[in-house]
Amino acid sequence: MADDNRRGDEDERGPGAAYQMFVVMEDLLDKLKLLDYEEEVLRKHNMKALSRHYFALPTNPGEQFFMFTTIASWLINQAGRPFEQPQEYDDPNATVSNILAELRAFGGLVDFPPSKLKTGYGEYVCYVLDRLAEEALKRSRFTWKKPSYPKEELEEESVMDDDAELTLSKVEEEMIVEPDDYEEEHLIDLEALKTRTNQSETGESLKPDDILESNTDAAEWNLEVERVLPQLKVTIRTDNKDWRVHVDQMHQHRDGIESSLKETKGYLNKLQEEISKTLEKIGSREKYINNQLEHLIQEYRAAQSQLSEAKERYQQGSGGVTGRTRVLAEITEELEKVKQEMEEKGSSMSDGAPVVKIKQSLTKLKQEVVQMDIRIGVVEHTLLQAKLKEKSNMTRDMHATNIPEHTVSRY
């Protein structure tokens, strides 16, 4: 549908609508030069100069979009509205929407989607920049003056006509060649012939008494003719810039187009008639086939509806099977866990290793108890000896203290 609408718009605007953006691009370039964009934009950002069809033809979409946003922001600033310079990594959608908002603020008509500007080239890109350039020129109070056409000089045209004409004096100047001694003997006296013709025109008839006979050899005459023949050829070069040549060519092309159009129009009319007849035959045949195959079509539709119902039932059944399969997998997993626990418990119950470990531990404990008993006995024996020794020491000390007292009482 969009293609049909676009074709309808192009038909309404005319066949030259596809080339209108080239004209707009050329006007835009002139306006940018008037605004001195070469100094303000190109030299500042170290960019190349724009060509006549830079934004009309696709070359490098990324570079063209960056150039478009840069020039648009500069033009908006020149028109008197503040606008930040977009950077390379900014969101293109936001940048385009901001530019269109400024264009609407200037009163510009925006009847196209913003995505048309993201490519960086095309009719709408040229339109937006041209509209902003006009606002910038209005801001700078620039006015277009009437064109001054140069006056045509008639003298030059007359000189060209004189050069184009073939003059006898020019031909005689080109034919003047210094003859050799051998050629002077066999050249014809042109001056004598010229005087004779002049005398015949003035009425003086000088008839020779005898018949004139030429003494020149025919072979030498032919050689002289071949030698002088290239100098007698005069070529007039036509200027391709002459408007008369272009007009003649236009008339020739128009006659050729009209003659070709007559022939092709007949062929096209015949082709149209044949195509219309063929379309009528195809339509009638299609109706006949539809009538003949109507019952088969109904059967096919019924079979299609049955197939769709069967597919729905199959999807429902497959959904139930999937759910039950998932439940079965969960139950199987739990059963595996229970089996594993039972196997671990059974192995622990039937295994005699723990009993052996307990017996070994008991025997080890008994040995340690015996060793402890021995150590206790040794310690008790040492304690007993220590007590006895201490007791003997005490008794000895007591006897030692008692003996001197008896001795003192005797004396």
Side-chain angles (χ1 to χ4, degrees):
M1 294 295 292
D3 295 337
D4 295 338
N5 294 331
R6 193 181 300 111
R7 290 173 184 171
D9 296 338
E10 290 179 358
D11 293 338
E12 291 177 359
R13 291 188 294 175
Y19 306 97
Q20 182 64 27
M21 59 180 174
F22 294 95
V23 179
V24 175
M25 180 60 206
E26 292 181 358
D27 294 339
L28 170 63
L29 190 60
D30 293 336
K31 293 174 183 178
L32 291 176
K33 289 180 179 179
L34 291 174
L35 292 169
D36 197 13
Y37 87 107
E38 296 175 350
E39 296 290 336
E40 298 290 335
V41 180
L42 298 183
R43 186 166 295 180
K44 182 178 179 181
H45 297 279
N46 195 12
M47 295 178 176
K48 296 181 181 179
L50 301 180
S51 61
R52 293 175 59 192
H53 304 145
Y54 183 80
F55 290 113
L57 298 174
T59 55
N60 188 352
E63 180 184 351
Q64 286 177 314
F65 180 74
F66 181 69
M67 181 70 77
F68 162 69
T69 55
T70 303
I71 294 177
S73 63
W74 176 72
L75 289 174
I76 293 170
N77 290 321
Q78 291 292 321
R81 295 180 66 88
F83 193 85
E84 294 183 359
Q85 174 69 33
Q87 302 299 323
E88 186 176 359
Y89 298 102
D90 290 347
D91 185 12
N93 295 319
T95 304
V96 169
S97 62
N98 294 332
I99 292 172
L100 292 179
E102 295 294 336
L103 182 62
R104 292 189 186 95
F106 288 126
L109 180 62
V110 181
D111 56 352
F112 53 87
S115 59
K116 294 289 185 181
L117 301 180
K118 292 171 65 176
T119 56
Y121 67 91
E123 178 182 0
Y124 302 107
V125 173
C126 297
Y127 164 72
V128 171
L129 292 177
D130 185 67
R131 189 72 177 78
L132 294 175
E134 288 180 359
E135 295 296 331
L137 289 174
K138 289 179 182 178
R139 175 77 178 182
S140 62
R141 297 180 180 179
F142 176 81
T143 55
W144 296 97
K145 298 180 180 179
K146 293 183 179 181
S148 59
Y149 300 101
K151 295 182 180 179
E152 296 182 357
E153 296 180 0
L154 300 175
E155 295 180 358
E156 294 181 357
E157 188 175 357
S158 62
V159 169
M160 291 175 63
D161 294 338
D162 293 338
D163 292 338
E165 292 178 357
L166 179 61
T167 57
L168 182 60
S169 61
K170 187 175 181 180
V171 174
E172 289 180 352
E173 290 176 358
E174 291 179 356
M175 290 178 61
I176 294 173
V177 181
E178 295 180 358
D180 299 334
D181 296 337
Y182 175 76
E183 292 177 353
E184 288 179 355
E185 296 178 356
H186 301 283
L187 287 177
I188 300 172
D189 191 0
L190 296 177
E191 295 294 334
L193 292 174
K194 190 174 181 181
T195 53
R196 289 180 182 178
T197 53
N198 291 331
Q199 289 177 1
S200 62
E201 290 176 358
T202 53
E204 296 178 358
S205 61
L206 298 174
K207 294 182 180 179
D209 297 334
D210 300 329
I211 298 173
L212 295 175
E213 292 182 359
S214 177
N215 296 325
T216 306
D217 190 5
E220 293 178 357
W221 180 267
N222 291 330
L223 290 174
E224 183 66 20
V225 170
E226 290 179 359
R227 188 183 68 82
V228 182
L229 185 61
Q231 300 177 3
L232 297 176
K233 291 182 180 180
V234 179
T235 57
I236 302 173
R237 295 181 180 179
T238 58
D239 189 4
N240 292 326
K241 296 182 180 179
D242 189 6
W243 62 272
R244 297 180 184 83
V245 177
H246 293 295
V247 170
D248 294 337
Q249 290 179 355
M250 289 170 63
H251 286 300
Q252 292 176 3
H253 292 314
R254 186 188 65 182
D255 295 337
I257 290 170
E258 289 178 354
S259 61
S260 301
L261 181 61
K262 291 179 182 178
E263 296 178 0
T264 53
K265 196 171 183 181
Y267 293 134
L268 291 174
N269 291 330
K270 291 180 181 179
L271 184 61
Q272 183 182 4
E273 292 176 358
E274 292 178 357
I275 291 172
S276 60
K277 291 179 181 178
T278 305
L279 289 174
E280 291 177 357
K281 289 180 180 179
I282 291 171
S284 61
R285 191 65 180 173
E286 185 178 359
K287 291 179 181 178
Y288 174 74
I289 291 171
N290 291 331
N291 293 328
Q292 293 293 326
L293 301 178
E294 186 175 1
H295 63 284
L296 295 176
I297 293 171
Q298 292 178 357
E299 291 178 359
Y300 174 73
R301 289 175 181 173
Q304 191 112 13
S305 62
Q306 292 177 1
L307 178 62
S308 61
E309 292 176 358
K311 284 183 178 179
E312 290 179 359
R313 291 197 298 271
Y314 171 73
Q315 289 178 357
Q316 294 176 359
S318 62
V321 170
T322 304
R324 291 181 178 83
T325 304
R326 186 175 62 255
V327 173
L328 178 62
E330 293 176 357
I331 294 171
T332 305
E333 187 176 358
E334 292 179 358
L335 181 61
E336 291 292 334
K337 290 180 180 179
V338 171
K339 285 183 179 180
Q340 188 175 1
E341 291 177 358
M342 290 178 65
E343 287 178 358
E344 290 178 356
K345 289 181 179 181
S347 61
S348 62
M349 291 174 64
S350 61
D351 191 7
V355 177
V356 175
K357 290 181 180 179
I358 292 170
K359 288 180 179 181
Q360 290 176 356
S361 300
L362 288 173
T363 54
K364 191 175 181 180
L365 284 172
K366 287 179 181 181
Q367 291 176 0
E368 290 179 354
V369 168
V370 171
Q371 291 177 0
M372 289 297 293
D373 290 338
I374 294 169
R375 289 180 180 177
I376 290 169
V378 171
V379 171
E380 288 179 352
H381 179 71
T382 54
L383 287 173
L384 183 61
Q385 287 181 353
K387 286 180 179 180
L388 290 174
K389 188 176 180 180
E390 185 180 359
K391 192 174 183 180
S392 63
N393 291 329
M394 288 176 67
T395 54
R396 190 179 57 192
D397 292 335
M398 288 174 66
H399 288 298
T401 54
N402 289 326
I403 292 171
E405 290 179 355
H406 292 293
T407 56
V408 170
S409 63
R410 286 177 182 178
Y411 289 106

